[in-house]
Amino acid sequence: MAAWKVRRSTPTYSMNKKYEFGLATLAALEPFRAYLKHEQFSHSYIHQTINYTATFHEWLTGQSLALAQITHADVMEFADHLRQKGFSIKLINQIMRTLRYYFSHLQQEQEIGINPAAGIILKGTVRNLPHDLLTMPEMEALYESYQVTDNRTYRNKVIIGLLVYQAITRDELSHLRPEHLKLREGKIHIPATGRQLGRLLPLQPHQILELHEYLLVIRPKILAERLAERPGRKPDRYKDEQDIERLFISINTLEDIKNSLLHLNYALRKLNPKYKHAKQIRQSVITEWLKEKNLRTVQYMAGHRYVSSTERYKTTNLEDLKEALNKHHPLTLS
C-alpha cells in the first residue's frame, strides 16, 4: 500500500521500497500517466513506467537540467549514473526503452523536437568517458561574456569563475560556507563531500576581488532581501538554519541553488550552444590541467579519491578523446 513519508522536509509518495519520488516529480508526470491510462495499458505497466520515468526526472533535477534541453549525451550520462547505482545492464535497457516511449509521447505533444533516447542500446559495461569538451578559451569566453546587471548575476558570475578555474562540482557549491574563503592567502578551501576529497586551491587575482565584493556587499544584500520578503519571521524559523550560512544563497528560496543553476544553464547555452552543463566544464578543466600538470597534482586539484578517476581524462588532445569514446563506448545507434 502507498505510504506518505517525509524526505528532507519535503513530502514524498513512496511507491515501493525501491522507488520514492517528490510530489513535484509525480505532478510533472501526471499528463503522461493520463495518456497511458487512455491507451488502456495495464495498471502494473503504468506503475513501472512512471517509476522509471520519475527516476529520470529526479536525476534531471539533481543535475539542474531542463527537460526540453536534454541531449543524447545527457541520456548516456543518466545510463552511467544508473550503472554506478548498481542497476544491471538489462534493467538500464528497460529504462531506456521506457524513456524512448516517454520522449516519443512528448514529441507528439510538441514539447520536444527530437527523441534523445532514440537508438540507445547498452552492451556490456557503461563507460563514462569525458566527451564534448570545451577548450579553455571557450570556457573563459563564457565567464567573460556573462553580463553582471544585479545581485543575482553578480552571484552567478562568481559561480562561473569557480567552475572554470577550480572545476568545482554542484554539490561542492552547495557545501561552501563564507569561512572557506581564504582571501588573504588568495585561496579557497573546498570541503570534502561524499564523493570528493577536500582541497585548498589558489584563486585567480580577479576572483579574489569578486569574492571579496560578493562576501561583503552582494551576499548580505541577497540575504536581507530574502528576509524582508518574510516579515515577522526570524532566520531560525527556516526549515534549515544551515541554508542561511551557505556561501551561495538562492534569490527565490534559501533551501539550495539547484533552481539558480538551472537558469544559469539557460543563460550560458545562449552564449555558447556547445555548453551543456556544469559537469562538462569540470571535465574540460581537468583535461586542460593534465596538459600542463602531473597526474598526482591534478588528482588533488580535482578532489579525486582514486588516481584512476583522473587517468581517464588524460589525453594529448580532444581528437584522441573522441577516438577513445568511439572505440570504447558500448552504445549502438539504430
Side-chain angles (χ1 to χ4, degrees):
M1 176 179 290
W4 289 98
K5 294 185 178 181
V6 176
R7 184 179 61 191
R8 293 179 60 83
S9 301
T10 300
T12 61
Y13 184 80
S14 178
M15 295 185 177
N16 55 39
K17 293 182 180 179
K18 187 173 184 179
Y19 297 100
E20 183 178 303
F21 309 109
L23 291 179
T25 294
L26 296 176
L29 292 176
E30 195 55 38
F32 186 43
R33 183 195 295 274
Y35 166 76
L36 295 173
K37 289 182 178 180
H38 180 266
E39 294 296 311
Q40 298 184 341
F41 286 105
S42 68
H43 174 75
S44 60
Y45 177 83
I46 295 175
H47 181 78
Q48 190 165 60
T49 297
I50 295 299
N51 278 345
Y52 290 165
T53 313
T55 299
F56 177 68
H57 266 262
E58 296 268 287
W59 178 81
L60 286 184
T61 300
Q63 298 296 314
S64 299
L65 292 174
L67 185 62
Q69 296 178 319
I70 295 303
T71 65
H72 185 271
D74 293 326
V75 178
M76 291 194 295
E77 288 195 21
F78 173 62
D80 182 65
H81 164 75
L82 295 178
R83 181 196 62 79
Q84 294 183 32
K85 297 283 287 184
F87 285 59
S88 68
I89 295 298
K90 180 179 179 180
L91 179 54
I92 294 175
N93 278 329
Q94 290 177 355
I95 295 175
M96 292 299 110
R97 284 194 293 271
T98 297
L99 290 182
R100 283 195 291 275
Y101 188 50
Y102 173 58
F103 286 126
S104 177
H105 165 69
L106 293 180
Q107 282 180 298
Q108 293 176 8
E109 297 296 317
Q110 298 184 336
E111 294 186 29
I112 61 173
I114 62 172
N115 190 327
I120 295 181
I121 303 173
L122 276 60
K123 297 180 179 179
T125 303
V126 183
R127 297 176 184 268
N128 185 22
L129 294 174
H131 56 284
D132 297 330
L133 302 181
L134 300 171
T135 65
M136 184 54 73
E138 287 175 325
M139 290 185 285
E140 290 185 324
L142 279 176
Y143 172 75
E144 296 293 341
S145 301
Y146 187 82
Q147 296 297 310
V148 173
T149 58
D150 53 19
N151 293 334
R152 181 198 301 269
T153 50
Y154 193 103
R155 179 206 61 193
N156 290 351
K157 183 91 168 185
V158 173
I159 290 176
I160 298 170
L162 293 175
L163 295 174
V164 171
Y165 296 107
Q166 284 76 35
I168 197 168
T169 69
R170 187 187 68 83
D171 284 344
E172 289 168 341
L173 281 171
S174 298
H175 281 82
L176 283 178
R177 302 290 186 267
E179 60 265 26
H180 292 141
L181 297 178
K182 314 295 180 183
L183 298 183
R184 289 182 180 273
E185 304 171 30
K187 296 180 180 180
I188 181 172
H189 169 62
I190 302 176
T193 62
R195 299 181 60 181
Q196 304 293 131
L197 296 177
R199 60 250 191 226
L200 186 66
L201 298 179
L203 294 164
Q204 297 291 321
H206 56 82
Q207 285 184 286
I208 298 174
L209 296 176
E210 289 177 352
L211 282 164
H212 186 269
E213 178 77 6
Y214 173 76
L215 190 61
L216 296 184
V217 180
I218 305 300
R219 184 178 179 277
K221 286 183 178 179
I222 293 175
L223 184 55
E225 290 172 4
R226 289 301 305 142
L227 295 178
E229 290 179 8
R230 301 190 179 189
R233 296 192 64 180
K234 298 180 180 180
D236 59 3
R237 294 288 300 277
Y238 287 102
K239 285 187 271 189
D240 188 353
E241 188 174 348
Q242 290 184 348
D243 293 328
I244 304 174
E245 299 172 356
R246 292 177 178 175
L247 179 60
F248 297 111
I249 302 171
S250 172
I251 302 294
N252 298 318
T253 174
L254 290 173
E255 294 180 27
D256 66 31
I257 59 170
K258 287 191 295 186
N259 194 54
S260 301
L261 293 178
L262 175 62
H263 290 290
L264 180 57
N265 279 339
Y266 278 125
L268 294 181
R269 287 180 182 182
K270 288 182 180 179
L271 294 175
N272 185 347
K274 288 177 61 178
Y275 171 81
K276 294 181 178 179
H277 41 64
K279 185 175 180 180
Q280 179 195 31
I281 290 186
R282 174 173 165 80
Q283 292 178 333
S284 301
V285 172
I286 294 173
T287 301
E288 292 291 326
W289 281 345
L290 280 169
K291 295 178 182 179
E292 301 178 352
K293 308 177 189 300
N294 66 60
L295 188 63
R296 290 294 182 179
T297 297
V298 175
Q299 179 189 0
Y300 171 79
M301 294 176 67
H304 289 153
R305 291 184 179 275
Y306 308 104
V307 71
S308 59
S309 298
T310 313
E311 285 178 325
R312 67 193 179 96
Y313 292 91
K314 195 171 185 179
T315 181
T316 55
N317 53 53
L318 295 182
E319 290 305 315
D320 287 348
L321 201 57
K322 293 177 181 177
E323 181 180 347
L325 178 65
N326 292 331
K327 180 179 179 181
H328 297 293
H329 207 290
L331 300 179
T332 61
L333 305 182
S334 58

